[in-house]
Structures are given as C-alpha cells and as structure tokens.
Amino acid sequence: MLDIVILAAGKGTRMRSSKPKVMQTIAGKPLLRHVVDTAQQLLTAGTSPTVVVGFAKEQVIAGFTSNEITTVEQREQLGTGHAVAQALPYLRDDAVALILYGDVPLIQKQTLESLVAQTDSNSLAVLTVNLPNPKGYGRMLRNSAGNIIAIVEEKDATQQQRTINEINTGIMAVPVHLLKKWLPELSCDNAQGEYYLTDIIAKAAAENIVVNSAQPEFVWEVEGVNDRRQQAALERAYQAYLADKFMSEGLALQDPARFDCRGSLSFDQDVEIDINVVIEGKVHLGDGVRLGPNCVIRNSTLAAGTVVEANSIIDGAQINESCTIGPYARLRPGSVLQKNAKVGNFVEVKKSVIGVGSKVNHLSYIGDCTMGDGVNVGAGTITCNYDGVNKFRTEIGDNSFIGSNSALVAPVVLAAGTTVGAGSTITRTTEIDDLAIARAKQRNISGWQRPTKK
Ligand code: UD1
Ligand code: CA
C-alpha cells in the first residue's frame, strides 16, 4: 500500500517571481503538476498525494482540484523532517510513504517503482545518484560492508565526508509506522538548526533496519529548480530527452535542439518537422505530415498527407487528409478542414468548416462559417460575423466562387454555385447558381483634369 507526500512549502526566493516556485513551468506544465501527475500513476484510484504547502499556498491549491491533491499547511519552514511530519495524520499506518518534492518535477514513474520495490514494512529505500561535483547535497555514508548508515548534510560534513560522490536526491520510501515513530524524535541540533528528514537514516541503522537504495535512469530526473538558470537547463534536458525518444519512434526532426513539445505528441509514419516548431497540448500528426519551420501546433489533429508551410499557427483544429496550410496561416479553435482543403498565407479561420477541396488562399478572415466543397474564396474576403454584440454564421454552398475583397455580412446563406462579384458587400441570401454583385457602379469621366499645385 502506497501513500505519497510532496513537499512544496518553499518560497523559491531565487526565482525572483511573484509566483510560488512549484507553479513555475517546465515543458509548459507547472513543476508541481508534473509531480502530481506522476504520483497519480503510482497511486491506486481514489487516493491522492498529500502536498505540504506553505508559501503562497492559495496559488498552489488553486492550480488543482480537490480530488487531485490533499493539502496540509506547514506554517513555518523548519526543515524537511518537520515538513513531512505535517503530513503524518494523512498517512496510513500500514502504508509505505514515498516522499517527493514539488520542485523536482521530472522524476519518472519507473524510477519510483524501482525505489518502492526496495522497501517493505520494515525497510526503507533512498534514491541516490553519483555526481562528479556533489557540492551542496547530503552525502550517503556507507559502512565497510557497503550498507547505508547515515546521510550527512554538506554543511555538517567533515572534509573527508565531502569527498563522497554518492548524494541523497531527497526522494525516499519509508514505512509510515517508522516515520510516525522517528519524526517526532528529530532534533534541530545541526548547522542549519532544521529538523532534517535525512536524520531518520541514522535512526534506521541504529535499529538495524535495512536502508536500500535505487538510482534514476537519468540525472535530470532528480534535478531541482531553484533559479531561472536551473529551470532553463532542466527544460533543455527534458526537451532533448523527448526529441530523442520521438526520433527513436521514427519522427524526422530537422534539428532536435530546435524542437519543443509542451504537451503530448503522437504521430504515425514518415512525419517530418522542420526547425523551431512548438507542440502544445494534445497533438496528433498522421502519416507523412510535414510541418515547416516556426509553426505552433496546439490541441489539434492533422491527418495523413497534410503539409503546413512556415510560420503557421494551428490551435484547436481538426485537419483532414492532404490539406495545405500556410505559410503564415492562423487556424483558431473550432476550425475543421475537410480533405484536400487549402488555407493560404495571411488567412485566419475560426469555428468554421472549410469543405473538401475548398480554397481560401490569401488574406482572408473566415469566422463562424460553414463552407461546402469545391468553394473558391478570393483574396481579401471577410466574413463579417460580429455586429459588435452578437456573432452570426455564414453558409457558403458547394462550388461557390467568392470574388476578391468581398464582405459577407452574417447571418447570410449563399446557395450552391453562387458567384459573388469582386468587391461585393453581400447581405442577402442567394439562390442556386446566382451571381450576386453588390458594389457601386463604375463611372468614367473623360478628359479628367488633375488638380495642380497653387
Ligand atoms: C535536501 C536534503 C539533502 C539532499 C537535497 C537534494 C534534507 C535535510 N536535506 O537538502 O540531503 O541532498 O535535499 O536536493 O532533507 N521544504 C519544505 N519545508 C521545509 C523545508 C523544505 O517544504 O521546512 C521543501 C523545500 O521547498 C524544497 C525541499 O523541501 O522543495 C528541499 O528542501 P531544502 O531545504 O532545499 O533541502 P536541501 O537543503 O536542498
Ligand atoms: Ca534544495
């Protein structure tokens, strides 16, 4: 039986931010949300991690639903041992408590599983790592048999102990009944005057309770975020990991160092992504999809064969097979492109369906519109969907042809086969195959004298 405690009371002064540190982001997601999501994967349904909050606790709590986390306040930060002690009333006596940190966001599920596998009701396990430069961390002390006997903090360590490279990541799994015995016994008689969680290790050794250890697959899993440099470094490490994983699954990335995924990406075969593409939210790319440079794709599905040219933004859209988008296109939420549709440069589409093979190639705004198949929309065409108070829909029937620079004033319905003369302002419904033309008649005045300078 597993319970999880996440320490998140710290202020994070070095971030120099008004936001609590654990609400800063990596890969577009708050640090604490990473940890909570991973914790949820380990917990049985119906249980939630206990988060120890303190600094700006309202902002932290507001980031989660009450089902997702149980919170407990640590009013004064008296050390990691004191922090975990606040959570004790929420922990089950016969459970093992896994202790995580809200500012160590990228710990992976498999690593925690292997750590927890090293414990039972009468042994504990510490996640450790060997660092070439262990400065600042608690060091693992082992006896001549190699058994862990204590953790000593850098500030309390002797010169000799400071040469030890194996460090305490802080993450450990401890039977709850032992935590309940040991935490109230901790003293703060040390260099920092804090109640150290790490002091329980010496207590375990003194009682002949076995202390096991496990190591993470990647060092970045146990790296914390204390300042903007560490945040950026961890972001890059994580993005490099994601890019590598995606490439091993067949994604063709033009440059893995210039690719960012801030969400979840799935893809089929032969997908190619050019430089500086940002993926956000949930995105799926079908067979042979190509994304040009500098595109942002958010919460969208792009079906097989679709090509997105440079500098396009696709948000909340459903793109069917073999569409062509961009360069410089913007598809906003609720956009649906049917098969073979084309949306070209400087075109904005919102809450609209672009029918099979229909084309909106240049400089248009299509909002709240249902467009049939085989429609051609000329350059500069606008759906006037908003009267300043309400939004209205425009319907354009199959095989219509909208001349350039037309304004379609919604609500309006153009029947199939409508032709709109260029420069028209259309306010009335048309019948099948009508020509609608609504523009001032041209007058020519012959022999016109231009004004001259006085
Ligand atoms: C701790 C470990 C150290 C380990 C290091 C790994 C102790 C005594 N030391 O040191 O062995 O190598 O982590 O990074 O545990 N926190 C609270 N309330 C408190 C104190 C801390 O919520 O009263 C939270 C902090 O917000 C932070 C985390 O616990 O997220 C770690 O606390 P910190 O004081 O930074 O511990 P370290 O000195 O880094
Ligand atoms: Ca720290």
Side-chain angles (χ1 to χ4, degrees):
M1 195 194 300
L2 187 68
D3 281 338
I4 297 183
V5 179
I6 305 173
L7 303 192
K11 178 162 185 217
T13 313
R14 282 178 283 161
M15 297 300 285
R16 295 182 176 270
S17 169
S18 60
K19 266 200 281 185
K21 175 164 75 170
V22 296
M23 299 312 282
Q24 305 287 346
T25 59
I26 292 276
K29 184 157 108 172
L31 305 182
L32 181 56
R33 158 92 34 215
H34 281 275
V35 185
V36 168
D37 286 353
T38 305
Q40 288 298 3
Q41 293 176 42
L42 295 166
L43 290 171
T44 49
T47 55
S48 56
T50 302
V51 180
V52 180
V53 294
F55 177 76
K57 66 177 199 309
E58 297 78 15
Q59 278 187 68
V60 177
I61 294 167
F64 298 86
T65 68
S66 56
N67 293 333
E68 287 178 317
I69 59 173
T70 302
T71 53
V72 53
E73 188 182 359
Q74 184 193 24
R75 280 173 214 282
E76 266 186 297
Q77 281 185 52
L78 304 178
T80 49
H82 179 259
V84 175
Q86 309 311 303
L88 287 180
Y90 296 89
L91 305 181
R92 295 169 292 184
D93 288 341
D94 47 351
V96 165
L98 175 62
I99 295 156
L100 304 175
Y101 299 82
D103 60 352
V104 182
L106 299 181
I107 186 70
Q108 301 293 293
K109 179 176 159 240
Q110 306 83 285
T111 297
L112 294 175
E113 281 169 345
S114 70
L115 180 74
V116 169
Q118 299 287 322
T119 56
D120 56 31
S121 62
N122 225 26
S123 62
L124 35 155
V126 181
L127 192 68
T128 74
V129 71
N130 281 64
L131 295 181
N133 176 12
K135 195 166 186 295
Y137 292 97
R139 307 298 205 281
M140 304 305 299
L141 303 190
R142 290 176 183 264
N143 64 16
S144 53
N147 299 320
I148 295 169
I149 52 167
I151 297 173
V152 58
E153 293 304 297
E154 163 103 10
K155 287 185 177 137
D156 302 292
T158 63
Q159 279 308 336
Q160 179 67 29
Q161 288 166 336
R162 286 182 191 177
T163 64
I164 297 169
N165 292 97
E166 187 186 14
I167 63 105
N168 169 35
T169 64
I171 293 171
M172 51 181 87
V174 187
V176 172
H177 74 95
L178 295 175
L179 277 180
K180 287 190 174 172
K181 179 159 74 146
W182 291 331
L183 291 182
E185 297 171 9
L186 291 180
S187 96
C188 60
D189 180 17
N190 53 51
Q192 301 181 78
E194 288 181 3
Y195 297 94
Y196 291 165
L197 174 64
T198 44
D199 283 352
I200 67 172
I201 303 303
K203 289 180 183 292
E207 294 179 28
N208 287 318
I209 287 172
V210 175
V211 180
N212 294 309
S213 65
Q215 283 73 41
E217 187 180 357
F218 304 104
V219 173
W220 50 256
E221 289 183 60
V222 297
E223 280 172 355
V225 173
N226 294 302
D227 60 29
R228 298 296 189 186
R229 289 184 201 95
Q230 289 176 343
Q231 183 184 14
L234 198 53
E235 176 81 42
R236 288 336 303 162
Y238 187 54
Q239 292 299 342
Y241 159 77
L242 288 179
D244 189 73
K245 179 165 88 76
F246 292 147
M247 289 189 295
S248 74
E249 292 163 3
L251 183 66
L253 286 175
Q254 184 68 35
D255 181 357
R258 284 180 290 174
F259 168 75
D260 284 79
C261 178
R262 303 174 191 153
S264 67
L265 172 66
S266 61
F267 49 86
D268 299 326
Q269 261 190 330
D270 297 312
V271 172
E272 294 176 21
I273 298 186
D274 212 323
I275 59 168
N276 295 330
V277 166
V278 177
I279 301 290
E280 295 182 351
K282 194 162 184 256
V283 170
H284 178 76
L285 305 175
D287 279 328
V289 165
R290 281 191 284 135
L291 304 181
N294 309 317
C295 290
V296 178
I297 316 289
R298 181 185 302 134
N299 295 320
S300 295
T301 300
L302 281 62
T306 285
V307 176
V308 183
E309 302 287 358
N311 302 303
S312 296
I313 298 178
I314 300 180
D315 181 4
Q318 182 201 322
I319 314 296
N320 290 290
E321 288 80 6
S322 304
C323 292
T324 309
I325 297 164
Y328 295 98
R330 180 176 182 210
L331 304 187
R332 292 169 51 199
S335 297
V336 176
L337 269 57
Q338 305 292 17
K339 209 174 154 177
N340 293 322
K342 279 177 93 167
V343 170
N345 40 239
F346 307 104
V347 173
E348 175 180 346
V349 180
K350 186 214 76 170
K351 255 195 207 165
S352 295
V353 178
I354 310 290
V356 177
S358 291
K359 294 176 183 154
V360 189
N361 276 336
H362 335 264
L363 300 153
S364 283
Y365 172 62
I366 305 297
D368 302 309
C369 174
T370 306
M371 190 184 297
D373 302 341
V375 172
N376 193 317
V377 176
T381 295
I382 303 291
T383 53
C384 308
N385 60 333
Y386 186 51
D387 63 6
V389 184
N390 297 302
K391 300 247 168 84
F392 300 96
R393 294 200 66 85
T394 300
E395 279 178 44
I396 304 176
D398 293 346
N399 302 313
S400 292
F401 182 98
I402 315 298
S404 297
N405 205 35
S406 293
L408 310 179
V409 183
V412 68
V413 177
L414 304 185
T418 294
T419 303
V420 172
S424 292
T425 297
I426 299 296
T427 55
R428 278 170 42 207
T429 294
T430 65
E431 302 294 330
I432 291 179
D433 294 337
D434 278 357
L435 166 66
I437 187 150
R439 62 187 184 218
K441 248 203 159 89
Q442 183 170 333
R443 247 188 340 148
N444 292 346
I445 297 169
S446 57
W448 176 254
Q449 294 292 319
R450 292 184 191 155
T452 52
K453 242 199 169 94
K454 296 226 166 82

Short mmCIF file of all heavy atoms in Angstrom, two decimals, residues 183-229:
data_model
loop_
_atom_site.label_atom_id
_atom_site.label_comp_id
_atom_site.label_asym_id
_atom_site.label_seq_id
_atom_site.Cartn_x
_atom_site.Cartn_y
_atom_site.Cartn_z
N LEU A 183 9.95 10.68 13.30
CA LEU A 183 9.89 12.14 13.05
C LEU A 183 9.71 12.96 14.33
O LEU A 183 10.38 14.00 14.50
CB LEU A 183 8.82 12.49 12.01
CG LEU A 183 9.12 12.04 10.58
CD1 LEU A 183 8.01 12.47 9.62
CD2 LEU A 183 10.48 12.55 10.08
N PRO A 184 8.85 12.51 15.27
CA PRO A 184 8.72 13.31 16.50
C PRO A 184 10.00 13.32 17.35
O PRO A 184 10.14 14.18 18.23
CB PRO A 184 7.58 12.60 17.25
CG PRO A 184 6.85 11.81 16.21
CD PRO A 184 7.90 11.40 15.23
N GLU A 185 10.90 12.40 17.06
CA GLU A 185 12.15 12.34 17.84
C GLU A 185 13.27 13.21 17.26
O GLU A 185 14.33 13.32 17.87
CB GLU A 185 12.70 10.90 17.86
CG GLU A 185 11.83 9.87 18.53
CD GLU A 185 12.35 8.44 18.30
OE1 GLU A 185 13.47 8.27 17.76
OE2 GLU A 185 11.62 7.50 18.65
N LEU A 186 13.06 13.78 16.07
CA LEU A 186 14.16 14.53 15.42
C LEU A 186 14.57 15.73 16.27
O LEU A 186 13.73 16.37 16.90
CB LEU A 186 13.72 15.02 14.04
CG LEU A 186 13.51 13.98 12.94
CD1 LEU A 186 13.08 14.69 11.66
CD2 LEU A 186 14.79 13.18 12.71
N SER A 187 15.85 16.06 16.20
CA SER A 187 16.30 17.30 16.86
C SER A 187 16.77 18.27 15.78
O SER A 187 17.02 17.87 14.64
CB SER A 187 17.42 17.00 17.85
OG SER A 187 18.67 17.22 17.24
N CYS A 188 16.90 19.54 16.16
CA CYS A 188 17.38 20.52 15.18
C CYS A 188 18.77 21.00 15.56
O CYS A 188 19.17 22.12 15.24
CB CYS A 188 16.39 21.68 15.05
SG CYS A 188 16.13 22.55 16.59
N ASP A 189 19.48 20.12 16.22
CA ASP A 189 20.83 20.44 16.67
C ASP A 189 21.82 20.16 15.54
O ASP A 189 22.49 19.14 15.51
CB ASP A 189 21.13 19.59 17.92
CG ASP A 189 22.51 19.87 18.46
OD1 ASP A 189 23.10 20.91 18.11
OD2 ASP A 189 23.01 19.03 19.25
N ASN A 190 21.84 21.05 14.55
CA ASN A 190 22.76 20.88 13.41
C ASN A 190 23.10 22.26 12.84
O ASN A 190 22.59 23.28 13.32
CB ASN A 190 22.11 19.98 12.36
CG ASN A 190 20.71 20.47 11.97
OD1 ASN A 190 20.54 21.65 11.63
ND2 ASN A 190 19.73 19.59 12.04
N ALA A 191 23.93 22.26 11.81
CA ALA A 191 24.46 23.51 11.27
C ALA A 191 23.36 24.49 10.82
O ALA A 191 23.54 25.70 10.85
CB ALA A 191 25.41 23.21 10.10
N GLN A 192 22.21 23.96 10.37
CA GLN A 192 21.15 24.85 9.85
C GLN A 192 20.01 25.06 10.84
O GLN A 192 19.08 25.79 10.54
CB GLN A 192 20.59 24.28 8.54
CG GLN A 192 21.69 24.12 7.46
CD GLN A 192 21.14 23.59 6.15
OE1 GLN A 192 20.53 24.33 5.38
NE2 GLN A 192 21.35 22.31 5.90
N GLY A 193 20.10 24.37 12.01
CA GLY A 193 19.04 24.49 13.00
C GLY A 193 17.70 24.00 12.47
O GLY A 193 16.64 24.53 12.82
N GLU A 194 17.73 22.99 11.59
CA GLU A 194 16.49 22.47 10.99
C GLU A 194 16.24 21.04 11.43
O GLU A 194 17.16 20.34 11.83
CB GLU A 194 16.63 22.46 9.45
CG GLU A 194 16.60 23.83 8.82
CD GLU A 194 16.71 23.76 7.30
OE1 GLU A 194 16.76 22.64 6.74
OE2 GLU A 194 16.77 24.83 6.67
N TYR A 195 14.98 20.63 11.32
CA TYR A 195 14.64 19.22 11.52
C TYR A 195 14.85 18.50 10.20
O TYR A 195 14.09 18.70 9.25
CB TYR A 195 13.19 19.09 12.01
CG TYR A 195 12.99 19.74 13.36
CD1 TYR A 195 12.53 21.06 13.45
CD2 TYR A 195 13.26 19.03 14.54
CE1 TYR A 195 12.36 21.67 14.69
CE2 TYR A 195 13.10 19.64 15.78
CZ TYR A 195 12.65 20.97 15.84
OH TYR A 195 12.49 21.55 17.07
N TYR A 196 15.93 17.74 10.14
CA TYR A 196 16.31 17.07 8.89
C TYR A 196 15.57 15.74 8.74
O TYR A 196 15.70 14.86 9.59
CB TYR A 196 17.81 16.72 8.89
CG TYR A 196 18.80 17.85 8.81
CD1 TYR A 196 20.14 17.59 9.13
CD2 TYR A 196 18.47 19.14 8.38
CE1 TYR A 196 21.11 18.58 9.05
CE2 TYR A 196 19.44 20.13 8.30
CZ TYR A 196 20.75 19.85 8.63
OH TYR A 196 21.71 20.81 8.55
N LEU A 197 14.89 15.59 7.63
CA LEU A 197 14.32 14.27 7.31
C LEU A 197 15.42 13.22 7.22
O LEU A 197 15.24 12.06 7.62
CB LEU A 197 13.57 14.36 5.96
CG LEU A 197 13.03 13.05 5.39
CD1 LEU A 197 11.95 12.47 6.30
CD2 LEU A 197 12.48 13.26 3.98
N THR A 198 16.55 13.65 6.72
CA THR A 198 17.67 12.73 6.47
C THR A 198 18.19 12.06 7.74
O THR A 198 18.83 11.01 7.66
CB THR A 198 18.81 13.50 5.78
OG1 THR A 198 18.96 14.76 6.47
CG2 THR A 198 18.47 13.79 4.34
N ASP A 199 17.90 12.64 8.90
CA ASP A 199 18.38 12.04 10.16
C ASP A 199 17.70 10.71 10.47
O ASP A 199 18.18 9.96 11.33
CB ASP A 199 18.16 13.02 11.34
CG ASP A 199 19.22 14.12 11.36
OD1 ASP A 199 20.19 14.03 10.57
OD2 ASP A 199 19.08 15.08 12.15
N ILE A 200 16.60 10.41 9.80
CA ILE A 200 15.95 9.11 10.06
C ILE A 200 16.81 7.94 9.60
O ILE A 200 16.63 6.82 10.06
CB ILE A 200 14.53 8.99 9.45
CG1 ILE A 200 14.60 8.98 7.92
CG2 ILE A 200 13.61 10.11 9.98
CD1 ILE A 200 13.24 8.66 7.28
N ILE A 201 17.74 8.23 8.69
CA ILE A 201 18.57 7.13 8.16
C ILE A 201 19.48 6.58 9.27
O ILE A 201 19.61 5.37 9.44
CB ILE A 201 19.40 7.60 6.94
CG1 ILE A 201 18.46 8.16 5.85
CG2 ILE A 201 20.28 6.48 6.41
CD1 ILE A 201 17.39 7.19 5.36
N ALA A 202 20.09 7.48 10.04
CA ALA A 202 20.94 7.02 11.16
C ALA A 202 20.10 6.27 12.20
O ALA A 202 20.55 5.29 12.79
CB ALA A 202 21.64 8.22 11.80
N LYS A 203 18.87 6.74 12.38
CA LYS A 203 17.98 6.04 13.33
C LYS A 203 17.68 4.62 12.85
O LYS A 203 17.68 3.66 13.63
CB LYS A 203 16.66 6.81 13.51
CG LYS A 203 16.82 8.11 14.29
CD LYS A 203 15.47 8.81 14.42
CE LYS A 203 15.63 10.16 15.13
NZ LYS A 203 16.00 9.98 16.55
N ALA A 204 17.43 4.50 11.54
CA ALA A 204 17.18 3.17 10.98
C ALA A 204 18.38 2.26 11.22
O ALA A 204 18.24 1.13 11.70
CB ALA A 204 16.88 3.29 9.49
N ALA A 205 19.58 2.79 10.89
CA ALA A 205 20.80 1.99 11.05
C ALA A 205 20.97 1.56 12.50
O ALA A 205 21.31 0.41 12.78
CB ALA A 205 22.01 2.78 10.56
N ALA A 206 20.70 2.48 13.42
CA ALA A 206 20.86 2.17 14.85
C ALA A 206 19.90 1.06 15.28
O ALA A 206 20.19 0.31 16.21
CB ALA A 206 20.61 3.44 15.68
N GLU A 207 18.77 0.96 14.59
CA GLU A 207 17.78 -0.08 14.95
C GLU A 207 17.89 -1.29 14.03
O GLU A 207 16.97 -2.12 13.98
CB GLU A 207 16.36 0.52 14.88
CG GLU A 207 16.15 1.59 15.94
CD GLU A 207 14.75 2.22 15.88
OE1 GLU A 207 13.80 1.56 15.43
OE2 GLU A 207 14.65 3.41 16.27
N ASN A 208 19.00 -1.37 13.30
CA ASN A 208 19.23 -2.49 12.38
C ASN A 208 18.12 -2.65 11.33
O ASN A 208 17.80 -3.76 10.93
CB ASN A 208 19.40 -3.81 13.14
CG ASN A 208 20.74 -3.85 13.82
OD1 ASN A 208 21.75 -3.44 13.23
ND2 ASN A 208 20.76 -4.27 15.07
N ILE A 209 17.55 -1.54 10.95
CA ILE A 209 16.55 -1.58 9.87
C ILE A 209 17.27 -1.30 8.56
O ILE A 209 18.07 -0.36 8.46
CB ILE A 209 15.42 -0.57 10.16
CG1 ILE A 209 14.58 -1.16 11.30
CG2 ILE A 209 14.59 -0.28 8.93
CD1 ILE A 209 13.54 -0.26 11.85
N VAL A 210 17.03 -2.17 7.61
CA VAL A 210 17.79 -2.11 6.35
C VAL A 210 17.43 -0.85 5.55
O VAL A 210 16.25 -0.53 5.39
CB VAL A 210 17.53 -3.38 5.51
CG1 VAL A 210 18.22 -3.28 4.15
CG2 VAL A 210 17.99 -4.61 6.26
N VAL A 211 18.46 -0.15 5.07
CA VAL A 211 18.26 1.01 4.19
C VAL A 211 18.79 0.64 2.80
O VAL A 211 20.00 0.46 2.63
CB VAL A 211 18.99 2.25 4.72
CG1 VAL A 211 18.74 3.44 3.78
CG2 VAL A 211 18.55 2.58 6.14
N ASN A 212 17.89 0.48 1.86
CA ASN A 212 18.30 0.15 0.50
C ASN A 212 18.44 1.42 -0.33
O ASN A 212 18.07 2.51 0.12
CB ASN A 212 17.26 -0.78 -0.14
CG ASN A 212 17.23 -2.13 0.56
OD1 ASN A 212 18.27 -2.77 0.75
ND2 ASN A 212 16.04 -2.55 0.98
N SER A 213 18.91 1.26 -1.54
CA SER A 213 18.98 2.44 -2.42
C SER A 213 18.61 2.05 -3.83
O SER A 213 18.65 0.87 -4.20
CB SER A 213 20.38 3.06 -2.38
OG SER A 213 21.31 2.15 -2.91
N ALA A 214 18.24 3.04 -4.61
CA ALA A 214 17.97 2.85 -6.04
C ALA A 214 18.50 4.08 -6.75
O ALA A 214 18.71 5.13 -6.11
CB ALA A 214 16.48 2.68 -6.29
N GLN A 215 18.74 3.97 -8.05
CA GLN A 215 19.25 5.10 -8.83
C GLN A 215 18.31 5.39 -9.99
O GLN A 215 17.71 4.47 -10.54
CB GLN A 215 20.66 4.78 -9.37
CG GLN A 215 21.77 4.90 -8.36
CD GLN A 215 21.75 3.75 -7.34
OE1 GLN A 215 21.52 2.60 -7.71
NE2 GLN A 215 21.97 4.05 -6.07
N PRO A 216 18.20 6.68 -10.35
CA PRO A 216 17.36 7.02 -11.52
C PRO A 216 18.10 6.68 -12.81
O PRO A 216 19.33 6.57 -12.82
CB PRO A 216 17.21 8.54 -11.38
CG PRO A 216 18.45 8.98 -10.68
CD PRO A 216 18.83 7.86 -9.76
N GLU A 217 17.33 6.51 -13.89
CA GLU A 217 17.96 6.26 -15.19
C GLU A 217 18.71 7.52 -15.67
O GLU A 217 19.80 7.44 -16.22
CB GLU A 217 16.89 5.86 -16.21
CG GLU A 217 17.48 5.41 -17.53
CD GLU A 217 16.42 5.00 -18.56
OE1 GLU A 217 15.22 5.00 -18.23
OE2 GLU A 217 16.82 4.70 -19.70
N PHE A 218 18.10 8.69 -15.46
CA PHE A 218 18.70 9.95 -15.92
C PHE A 218 18.91 10.89 -14.73
O PHE A 218 18.03 10.98 -13.86
CB PHE A 218 17.77 10.66 -16.91
CG PHE A 218 17.40 9.82 -18.09
CD1 PHE A 218 16.13 9.24 -18.16
CD2 PHE A 218 18.28 9.61 -19.13
CE1 PHE A 218 15.76 8.46 -19.26
CE2 PHE A 218 17.92 8.82 -20.23
CZ PHE A 218 16.66 8.25 -20.29
N VAL A 219 20.01 11.62 -14.72
CA VAL A 219 20.28 12.55 -13.62
C VAL A 219 19.24 13.67 -13.58
O VAL A 219 18.82 14.12 -12.51
CB VAL A 219 21.72 13.12 -13.70
CG1 VAL A 219 21.93 14.23 -12.67
CG2 VAL A 219 22.74 12.02 -13.47
N TRP A 220 18.73 14.09 -14.76
CA TRP A 220 17.75 15.19 -14.76
C TRP A 220 16.46 14.85 -14.01
O TRP A 220 15.73 15.73 -13.60
CB TRP A 220 17.46 15.72 -16.16
CG TRP A 220 17.11 14.71 -17.22
CD1 TRP A 220 17.93 14.26 -18.22
CD2 TRP A 220 15.86 14.01 -17.41
NE1 TRP A 220 17.27 13.34 -19.01
CE2 TRP A 220 16.00 13.17 -18.52
CE3 TRP A 220 14.64 14.01 -16.73
CZ2 TRP A 220 14.97 12.34 -18.99
CZ3 TRP A 220 13.61 13.19 -17.19
CH2 TRP A 220 13.79 12.37 -18.30
N GLU A 221 16.22 13.57 -13.82
CA GLU A 221 15.00 13.17 -13.08
C GLU A 221 15.02 13.70 -11.65
O GLU A 221 13.97 13.88 -11.04
CB GLU A 221 14.90 11.64 -13.00
CG GLU A 221 14.56 10.96 -14.28
CD GLU A 221 14.40 9.46 -14.04
OE1 GLU A 221 13.54 9.07 -13.25
OE2 GLU A 221 15.20 8.69 -14.62
N VAL A 222 16.22 13.87 -11.10
CA VAL A 222 16.30 14.26 -9.68
C VAL A 222 16.82 15.68 -9.52
O VAL A 222 17.12 16.12 -8.41
CB VAL A 222 17.18 13.26 -8.89
CG1 VAL A 222 16.54 11.88 -8.92
CG2 VAL A 222 18.61 13.20 -9.43
N GLU A 223 16.91 16.41 -10.63
CA GLU A 223 17.38 17.79 -10.53
C GLU A 223 16.24 18.72 -10.12
O GLU A 223 15.12 18.61 -10.61
CB GLU A 223 18.01 18.24 -11.85
CG GLU A 223 19.44 17.71 -11.95
CD GLU A 223 20.10 17.92 -13.29
OE1 GLU A 223 19.44 18.41 -14.23
OE2 GLU A 223 21.29 17.56 -13.39
N GLY A 224 16.58 19.64 -9.22
CA GLY A 224 15.59 20.58 -8.72
C GLY A 224 15.67 21.90 -9.47
O GLY A 224 16.61 22.16 -10.22
N VAL A 225 14.66 22.72 -9.26
CA VAL A 225 14.61 24.04 -9.87
C VAL A 225 14.67 25.08 -8.75
O VAL A 225 13.73 25.16 -7.95
CB VAL A 225 13.32 24.23 -10.69
CG1 VAL A 225 13.19 25.66 -11.18
CG2 VAL A 225 13.29 23.25 -11.85
N ASN A 226 15.75 25.81 -8.68
CA ASN A 226 15.87 26.86 -7.66
C ASN A 226 15.99 28.25 -8.25
O ASN A 226 15.72 29.23 -7.59
CB ASN A 226 17.09 26.59 -6.76
CG ASN A 226 16.90 25.33 -5.94
OD1 ASN A 226 15.95 25.22 -5.19
ND2 ASN A 226 17.78 24.37 -6.14
N ASP A 227 16.44 28.33 -9.51
CA ASP A 227 16.56 29.65 -10.15
C ASP A 227 16.26 29.50 -11.64
O ASP A 227 16.04 28.38 -12.14
CB ASP A 227 17.94 30.27 -9.90
CG ASP A 227 19.09 29.43 -10.44
OD1 ASP A 227 18.88 28.70 -11.43
OD2 ASP A 227 20.19 29.50 -9.88
N ARG A 228 16.24 30.61 -12.35
CA ARG A 228 15.88 30.60 -13.78
C ARG A 228 16.87 29.80 -14.62
O ARG A 228 16.50 29.22 -15.64
CB ARG A 228 15.79 32.04 -14.30
CG ARG A 228 14.72 32.88 -13.60
CD ARG A 228 13.34 32.34 -13.86
NE ARG A 228 12.31 33.25 -13.38
CZ ARG A 228 11.01 32.97 -13.38
NH1 ARG A 228 10.57 31.81 -13.83
NH2 ARG A 228 10.14 33.84 -12.93
N ARG A 229 18.15 29.80 -14.19
CA ARG A 229 19.14 29.05 -14.96
C ARG A 229 18.84 27.56 -14.89
O ARG A 229 18.88 26.85 -15.89
CB ARG A 229 20.55 29.30 -14.42
CG ARG A 229 21.09 30.67 -14.70
CD ARG A 229 22.53 30.77 -14.21
NE ARG A 229 22.85 32.16 -14.03
CZ ARG A 229 22.77 32.80 -12.88
NH1 ARG A 229 22.40 32.16 -11.77
NH2 ARG A 229 23.07 34.08 -12.81
#
